[in-house]
Amino acid sequence: MKPSDLDETVLRLAATAYLGRYTGVSRTHSASDLRIFFTWCGERDLAPLAARRAQIELYVR
């Protein structure tokens, strides 16, 4: 297993655990928010779980 595979596995587990707290429309919207954030991170070559406060603030804006 390559390090990038492990990172992706950890990210999927974290996202699944996060989404497990929600049901219905809340889960749908939270999943959409995560997809958008993950896409944003990918466009910037940023590991989502390594994002720092300043990077999160840029995303929010």
Side-chain angles (χ1 to χ4, degrees):
M1 180 179 282
K2 300 181 296 188
S4 61
D5 292 340
L6 180 59
D7 291 344
E8 186 165 331
T9 300
V10 170
L11 181 60
R12 286 183 186 276
L13 288 171
T16 301
Y18 175 76
L19 291 173
R21 297 184 281 172
Y22 300 99
T23 59
V25 175
S26 294
R27 182 182 174 100
T28 301
H29 287 261
S30 294
S32 174
D33 292 343
L34 281 179
R35 259 191 316 278
I36 293 166
F37 177 66
F38 292 163
T39 299
W40 183 87
C41 288
E43 291 169 351
R44 285 152 185 80
D45 198 30
L46 172 66
L49 295 177
R52 298 193 179 263
R53 182 182 178 122
Q55 294 159 321
I56 301 296
E57 288 177 357
L58 284 173
Y59 167 73
V60 170
R61 290 187 186 137

